[in-house]
Amino acid sequence: MRSSGFPDIKTLYGILLVAAVLFFTGCAVRPAGQSAALLESPVQTDSAQAMLQMQHSQGRSKTSWQLLTIRALLREGKNQQAADLFSQLPPKMDDAQQLEQSLLAVELKLAQGDFAGAQTRLANIRPSALKGSQTARYWQGRVTAQQDKHSPALLRALMAQAPLLTTTQEKQRNIDATWQVLTAMTQRQADAVQTVVDDKSLQGWMALRRACSDNRGAPEKLRAAVSGWQARWPQHPAARQLPTTLVNDMNFRPASVHNVALMLPLSGPAARFGRAILQGFESGKKVTPSAENSELMLYDTTARPVTQLLAQAQQDGATLVVGPLLKNHVEELLSSNPTMNVLALNLPENPARRDNICYFALSPEDEARSAARHIHKQGKHSPLLLLPGSEISERVARAFADEWQKQGGGAVTEQRFGSLAKLKASVSSGITLAGAPVTVSRKGAESYRRGRVDAVYIIATPEEMGYLKPMIAERNGSQSGSMLYASSRSISGTVGADYRLDMEGLQFSDIPELANNNPGLKQRALNATGNDYFLARLFAMGADAWTLANHYAQLRQTPGFTLKGNTGELSASSGCVITRELPWFRYQKGQVVPVE
């Protein structure tokens, strides 16, 4: 029977290990040097071993072991114990111990989910003062504090971390994360990073980004471009270990689109919607060289039940179904459990997760989520939603509020405005921005605290916006235009120079095809739909549906895969729901300019 007075083998091994480190690194040096050598070492003893050493030590040595114990507790996920022990650190420590305390303060904040607090503490640490394993921990803290937000700061942290990593797995994770940030950036963001940081590693990454961007969607050309890049940059870290998603793109084998069944309402009240999508789909098909041998089979969802059309399409040899468009028809399709691959053109309330079904819709909820991300990125804290009194407003409010809280924001308020007649009647009295909190389903959401509104997201027609903006200015000052944001609903082909001047400062989102920075695509869509902006958006959706059909397998198989579409930057979330990131614009002196 083992005596309880003796340490077990594991504890004894840990003590001997640390003692060996102290012997080899601290021999013939002063106690302060011994302390620094211990704290800078990569030794990872467990908290029980470190605590035992702390209890049997005195003076500076005791403080060093206390710091190592805190590090071990954090590594083991014992955050509260670590915080308690951190609060007991002595006020006087040598330089090495103070530096370790600063790093532990960062790691403690990260463990508690206080990313802003961690960034504040990181700003007070000079990387050049760090030694040994502390440098790697510092840059890992920088990476973690960015919360995977695709920013220049995260890119710089990942690149600084790369040379410090030792294992193949660590290096691959770093390369994959770096590539994800690079490919998520706009060209303007990437150019800005390149001008700030001038080094060979970054130049190599940017060259790889350009090579892949120019050849995305064409695996053979992509493989040739990457091979050429590797020959030009043989010493680059990514030349030896390519990003995982890039390897997947190079090995991609597209799904067959030789026989596409396009299911749309081609008769009845919704026929004009179906025809606009059909025109866009055929337009996208025409500009694809590989589409010459593709056969398009049309099925009218108004004429026959969707279940019958699916059976007919399968009999006709269809390899992919695009559609249906109306929500009730999508639900009918889901209930029939189709065996073919499907790109549905609407999103039901509870989309079924199936391996053979993706969902693509032009939903105002998508715009609301994009708006929440955009407004949060601009540093706003207290947004209010100004919405019409309709059922769609409920869904928009929930989508915005949910995304706002995912971005780290608090409660969101909403306010409804009445009919156009009521707006006209009350225009001289202005409008007070004082809404009620939006109820969302997310657990742990911050409780509502009324604060000064610093951003207003508006869903309104151009005519409604013409009254709302001056009404807001009446109560909130003439400079209130800079706090206003609108959905694409406020844009139509009828707005002229006077409207643009009246909307000074207002930011709005719109699909790239109709944005003023691409007049060719815009005119193509408007010409096809008789200058109807709503139908032109469906035209753009049809063109993107063709593109998505051609990349169906990548949407399913390649995490993080994105496409620059006519309706926005497209990517697939969990369950293969296609999401859209929209560009933003601002009215400035009667002109429409991109928001930086």
Side-chain angles (χ1 to χ4, degrees), residues 202-215:
L202 179 63
Q203 291 172 9
W205 276 118
M206 291 302 179
L208 180 60
R209 183 183 185 274
R210 285 191 297 273
C212 295
S213 178
D214 293 342
N215 297 280

Side-chain angles (χ1 to χ4, degrees), residues 301-320:
T301 54
T302 307
R304 295 169 62 190
V306 170
T307 51
Q308 292 182 19
L309 297 180
L310 284 170
Q312 184 64 53
Q314 192 158 16
Q315 185 178 332
D316 293 342
T319 54
L320 175 69

Side-chain angles (χ1 to χ4, degrees), residues 212-484:
C212 295
S213 178
D214 293 342
N215 297 280
R216 172 160 260 183
E220 290 184 8
K221 291 182 179 179
L222 181 61
R223 286 193 289 272
V226 171
S227 178
W229 177 85
Q230 288 174 308
R232 292 190 300 275
W233 297 86
Q235 302 305 316
H236 196 276
R240 296 184 291 273
Q241 286 179 254
L242 287 171
T244 302
T245 56
L246 177 54
V247 173
N248 291 339
D249 287 347
M250 292 163 62
N251 296 329
F252 168 70
R253 294 294 181 268
S256 172
V257 289
H258 288 306
N259 298 301
V260 178
L262 186 56
M263 297 186 179
L264 297 168
L266 300 174
S267 60
R272 64 193 188 104
F273 308 143
R275 283 194 295 269
I277 287 180
L278 173 59
Q279 287 176 303
F281 195 86
E282 290 179 327
S283 175
K285 187 171 178 286
K286 284 178 183 176
V287 298
T288 307
S290 60
E292 293 179 0
N293 299 321
S294 298
E295 183 183 348
L296 183 59
M297 298 175 284
L298 290 176
Y299 301 88
D300 185 358
T301 54
T302 307
R304 295 169 62 190
V306 170
T307 51
Q308 292 182 19
L309 297 180
L310 284 170
Q312 184 64 53
Q314 192 158 16
Q315 185 178 332
D316 293 342
T319 54
L320 175 69
V321 173
V322 177
L325 176 63
L326 304 182
K327 190 170 292 188
N328 62 313
H329 289 160
V330 174
E331 291 169 347
E332 186 181 346
L333 176 140
L334 293 174
S335 66
S336 66
N337 293 316
T339 57
M340 293 176 287
N341 287 335
V342 176
L343 176 64
L345 299 180
N346 211 321
L347 186 65
E349 292 299 324
N350 298 298
R353 295 171 68 100
R354 309 267 179 86
D355 290 339
N356 63 324
I357 297 179
C358 292
Y359 303 90
F360 176 45
L362 291 190
S363 69
E365 294 98 318
D366 249 358
E367 283 202 64
R369 283 185 281 267
S370 176
R373 293 189 289 270
H374 175 71
I375 294 170
H376 189 271
K377 190 183 292 184
Q378 292 203 323
K380 305 296 185 179
H381 301 286
S382 302
L384 177 138
L385 310 180
L386 196 53
L387 310 169
S390 61
E391 182 214 344
I392 192 68
S393 296
E394 298 284 347
R395 304 206 309 265
V396 166
R398 286 197 302 270
F400 184 102
D402 189 63
E403 185 64 33
W404 182 261
Q405 291 182 0
K406 285 180 182 176
Q407 298 300 312
V412 173
T413 56
E414 64 172 320
Q415 185 173 336
R416 303 301 172 92
F417 59 84
S419 64
L420 190 60
K422 289 183 178 179
L423 287 176
K424 291 179 179 179
S426 55
V427 66
S428 60
S429 60
I431 185 170
T432 301
L433 301 176
V438 178
T439 302
V440 293
S441 58
R442 296 186 74 228
K443 294 181 179 179
E446 182 180 311
S447 60
Y448 172 62
R449 295 191 299 273
R450 186 177 296 279
R452 181 175 175 79
V453 171
D454 60 2
V456 184
Y457 181 57
I458 307 170
I459 307 291
T461 64
E463 193 171 8
E464 291 167 339
M465 189 67 76
Y467 287 97
L468 287 169
K469 189 172 185 291
M471 290 172 71
I472 293 171
E474 180 68 27
R475 292 292 186 92
N476 298 274
S478 60
Q479 301 302 313
S480 60
S482 61
M483 64 187 281
L484 303 184

